[in-house]
Amino acid sequence: MPIRQLSETMINQIAAGEVIERPASVVKELVENALDAGAGRVEIVTAGGGLNLIRVTDDGSGIPEQELALAIARHCTSKLTEDIHDIRSLGFRGEALPSIGSVSRLSIRSRTATSDSAAEIGIEGGRVSAVRPAAANRGTTVEVRDLFFATPARLKFMKGERAESSATSDVVKRIAIAFPAVRFTLAGSDRSTLELPATDGSAEGSLRRVAQVMGADFPDNSIAIDAMREGVHLTGHVSIPSFTRANALQQYAYVNGRPVRDKLIAGAIRGAFADVLPRDRHAVTVLFLTLDPAIVDVNVHPAKADVRFRDPGLVRGLIVGSVRQALADAGIRAATTGAAGMMSAFRPGAASYGHGGPANGHRSYDAAYRASSPAGFDPARSSQRPLDMGFEETGFARGGFDENDQAAFDAGPLASADARAGQSEAAETLLGAVLGAARAQVHENYIVAQTRDSLVIVDQHAAHERLVYEALKNALHSRPVPSQMLLLPEIIDLPEEDAERLAMHSETLARFGLGIERFGPGAVAVRETPSMLGETNVQQLVRDLADEIADNDTVDTLKERLDKIAATMACHGSVRSGRLLKAEEMNALLRQMEATPGSGTCNHGRPTYIELKLADIERLFGRR
C-alpha cells in the first residue's frame, strides 16, 4: 500500500483515541479550558452517563468570534509560548476540542467581556459549520452530544451509566480541590446534583473545599504538611494512621495545580505509611507539589495525567520524609470515627432492642434482662441485679430510707466522690495527659484510662508491640546493620546500567549490611548480607533493588525487609494478652505511648486505643 497523507478528520479521530477515553475525559478537558479562561463558576450537566449529553458553562473570558474557527483546529492554542518547558496552564496541546468534535456533535457558544453579542460554531463528526451569531452571557458554553457516534467501536467499551457518571464526579472533585475559589455544579438527569460552593483562597478555605469533597470527618483526622527542599514545595494534608480507606481513590495529588495520578507520588505515600497501616488499607491524602515548570515534564501523555520529574529521588524523599515527620510531630491521636463506631456498638438497634422497658409501659426490667441476656441467665442469682428487682423487700417499699439504707447510701457513691476529690496532685497531672491515668485492666488485655474529658481503652499487646518495634527500628538505623560474610562471593549478572546504579548506591547498601562491588561491566559481586535476613535469595534481593533504583532512585526494598523482621521480633517480644499489669506498669505504658510517634496503631495497622469523649457518654445515657 503506498504512503499517503491522512485526512484531518482521521488524524483527529486517532488523537481522540488517546485524549478522549470516556465521558469523564471530555469533562476534564472542558473544565480545564474553563479554568484556564479564569472562570469563577463552572456548571456541568450530563445525561446518559455523559454519552448523550455533556454541557459545560463558565463565566470566563470567552473566545472572540474571529478565533472560534481556530479554537476547533488541531494544535491551535492561546496557552503556550515558544518555550515548551514553561507550561503554567492546565491545557496547552491544542488537541482537546478538535478531538472531541471528531467523535461527537459539538457546539461552542461564547462571548467576551467587550463583545456586544455571542457567536457560535459547530462541528459534527469532524465536519465544521460556519460561525453564526448567538445569544449568551459572558463566558463560554460547550455542548457535546452523542459522544462516539462517529466511532461506534468505542461505545462497546463504555461501562454502565452509573459507572460513567461516577467517573465524571471523581474528575470534577479532583479538579475542584485545586481551585477552592471556583464554584462547581454537576447536575443532570443521570445523577444527583453535586454542588461545591466557592471558598476563599486561604489555607482554611482550601481545607473547607477538601471537606466538601472528602467529607467533614477528614479535617478532624488529618495533619497539615508544609515542607520545602531544593526549590520543591510540598503542602497539603494527610490522614492520621487510624483514619484509612479500603482503596486509594481518596489520595489526591497535584503538581503545579494540575491533578495527576503519578506512580512515583503514589509509591511515596505508600512508603511514608508503610509501617503504620495494614496492607489492605490506604491513607487519605491531599498533596500539592509546587516547583519550577522546567524541572517537571507534563507532556508525557496527551491526557496529561502522568508527569516526569527531573529528580524523582528528591520528590520521593521530600514526600516520605515530610509525611513521616508530620506524623511524628503530631503525636498520638485517635480517629474521631473510632468513637462513633464505639457509640454505634453501644447503642442497640431496633432489631436487637426488643423491649420497651418500664418507661414505655411494656415490661419490667426482669423481663427485659431475660429477653436480652444469654440463655440460662437468672437475675435472682446475679450480683448485679436491676434496680427495680426485689425492691418490695427494702425500705423503698415503705416510701423512704431506713437507717441501714441511709448508712449504705452514705458509704457508697458519696464516699467515692469524696475519695476522688482528695486525689493527689500527681493523679490530677495524669488526668491532663493525652491518654490520662490508668484506672483498671479488664479481660486481662485492655487498659481503661480516664482523662479530664474522656474515657480511653488501650489494647496493651498492640500498644507495647508498637513501642518495641519503634525501639528496634531506632537501634537498627542508628548504626550500621550487622552483616555476615559470605564464604564465596555471589556473582550476579545484570544489565550494565543496573550494575552501575547499584555501584552508585553501594555506600548506602553497606550501611544496611549488604556489601556489593562491581565485577566487570555487567555483573556485581555480593560479599556480605545483613545477618538479620539469615538465609536469603541474594540474587532476587539484588535484582529487586536494581529495579527499585531504576524506578525511584532509592534502596527502600532492603530497609523494608529489615523493618519487617523487626516488626516480627516486636510482635513476639511485647506484652502478651492475658498478662496482669500493676497500676504503675499501666501508667508507664501510657506515658511511653504518648512519647512514641506512630503509637496510635500497632505494627499491623490496627488501632492501639479508642477514645470516647464524656459528651458522647452523656449522649448514650440521654443526658444531652
Side-chain angles (χ1 to χ4, degrees), residues 144-211:
V144 180
R145 292 186 178 272
D146 302 327
L147 185 62
F148 299 127
F149 88 95
T151 53
R154 178 58 68 90
L155 287 172
K156 298 177 182 178
F157 295 92
M158 294 298 104
K159 297 182 180 179
E161 183 176 303
R162 184 185 297 274
E164 297 299 340
S165 296
S166 177
T168 299
S169 298
D170 182 63
V171 163
V172 173
K173 290 176 180 178
R174 284 184 179 274
I175 296 175
I177 287 177
F179 296 87
V182 179
R183 177 178 179 269
F184 291 86
T185 304
L186 176 60
S189 58
D190 57 347
R191 66 172 67 251
S192 57
T193 300
L194 170 68
E195 187 166 347
L196 303 173
T199 66
D200 57 72
S202 65
E204 293 77 11
S206 179
L207 189 57
R208 286 199 299 273
R209 169 54 59 85
V210 171

Side-chain angles (χ1 to χ4, degrees), residues 75 93 107 135 384 403 431 489 505 528 564 595 620:
H75 299 316
R93 295 174 60 97
S107 68
Q384 297 179 348
E403 293 179 347
L431 290 178
H505 286 78
E528 296 176 327
K564 186 175 181 180
L620 284 172

Side-chain angles (χ1 to χ4, degrees), residues 419-463:
R420 286 196 300 273
Q423 285 179 332
S424 67
E425 184 177 345
E428 283 296 320
T429 302
L430 291 182
L431 290 178
V434 175
L435 296 181
R439 293 304 188 199
Q441 181 187 27
V442 295
H443 294 292
E444 301 177 345
N445 187 54
Y446 299 102
I447 298 171
V448 179
Q450 174 191 351
T451 71
R452 288 197 174 97
D453 64 349
S454 65
L455 177 73
V456 178
I457 303 177
V458 178
D459 183 332
Q460 68 186 38
H461 172 67

Side-chain angles (χ1 to χ4, degrees), residues 146-434:
D146 302 327
L147 185 62
F148 299 127
F149 88 95
T151 53
R154 178 58 68 90
L155 287 172
K156 298 177 182 178
F157 295 92
M158 294 298 104
K159 297 182 180 179
E161 183 176 303
R162 184 185 297 274
E164 297 299 340
S165 296
S166 177
T168 299
S169 298
D170 182 63
V171 163
V172 173
K173 290 176 180 178
R174 284 184 179 274
I175 296 175
I177 287 177
F179 296 87
V182 179
R183 177 178 179 269
F184 291 86
T185 304
L186 176 60
S189 58
D190 57 347
R191 66 172 67 251
S192 57
T193 300
L194 170 68
E195 187 166 347
L196 303 173
T199 66
D200 57 72
S202 65
E204 293 77 11
S206 179
L207 189 57
R208 286 199 299 273
R209 169 54 59 85
V210 171
Q212 291 173 5
V213 172
M214 305 177 68
D217 287 336
F218 180 71
D220 294 333
N221 294 281
S222 66
I223 304 168
I225 303 289
D226 192 345
M228 173 81 79
R229 184 183 298 178
E230 297 182 25
V232 181
H233 191 198
L234 176 68
T235 59
H237 287 78
V238 298
S239 62
I240 59 178
S242 53
F243 186 85
T244 61
R245 292 288 183 266
N247 55 48
L249 292 179
Q250 286 201 322
Q251 290 182 357
Y252 298 92
Y254 302 85
V255 176
N256 290 340
R258 180 189 306 279
V260 298
R261 294 180 182 270
D262 186 72
K263 66 176 184 178
L264 173 73
I265 297 175
I269 294 172
R270 285 196 303 272
F273 285 89
D275 58 357
V276 295
L277 294 184
R279 289 185 177 273
D280 59 343
R281 304 296 295 181
H282 300 265
V284 183
T285 62
V286 180
L287 295 177
F288 298 90
L289 281 166
T290 305
L291 64 166
D292 186 347
I295 62 176
V296 58
D297 185 5
V298 299
N299 193 26
V300 177
H301 187 275
K304 305 184 290 295
D306 297 324
V307 294
R308 293 291 182 272
F309 299 99
R310 180 179 296 178
D311 190 348
L314 168 65
V315 174
R316 178 184 170 85
L318 173 62
I319 295 174
V320 174
S322 302
V323 171
R324 287 182 174 174
Q325 185 63 46
L327 292 174
D329 292 344
I332 184 167
R333 286 174 57 185
T336 58
T337 52
M342 192 173 179
M343 287 187 66
S344 298
F346 277 129
R347 186 180 293 112
S352 61
Y353 201 75
H355 61 85
N360 294 331
H362 289 289
R363 292 179 286 178
S364 68
Y365 279 112
D366 188 357
Y369 257 61
R370 293 182 185 277
S372 60
S373 302
F377 174 77
D378 184 0
R381 295 196 301 268
S382 173
S383 60
Q384 297 179 348
R385 299 169 62 194
L387 295 178
D388 67 339
M389 293 170 55
F391 70 92
E392 63 277 355
E393 300 175 2
T394 69
F396 290 97
R398 297 187 295 273
F401 294 113
D402 60 20
E403 293 179 347
N404 293 332
D405 294 326
Q406 188 64 49
F409 188 75
D410 291 339
L414 291 181
S416 299
D418 292 338
R420 286 196 300 273
Q423 285 179 332
S424 67
E425 184 177 345
E428 283 296 320
T429 302
L430 291 182
L431 290 178
V434 175

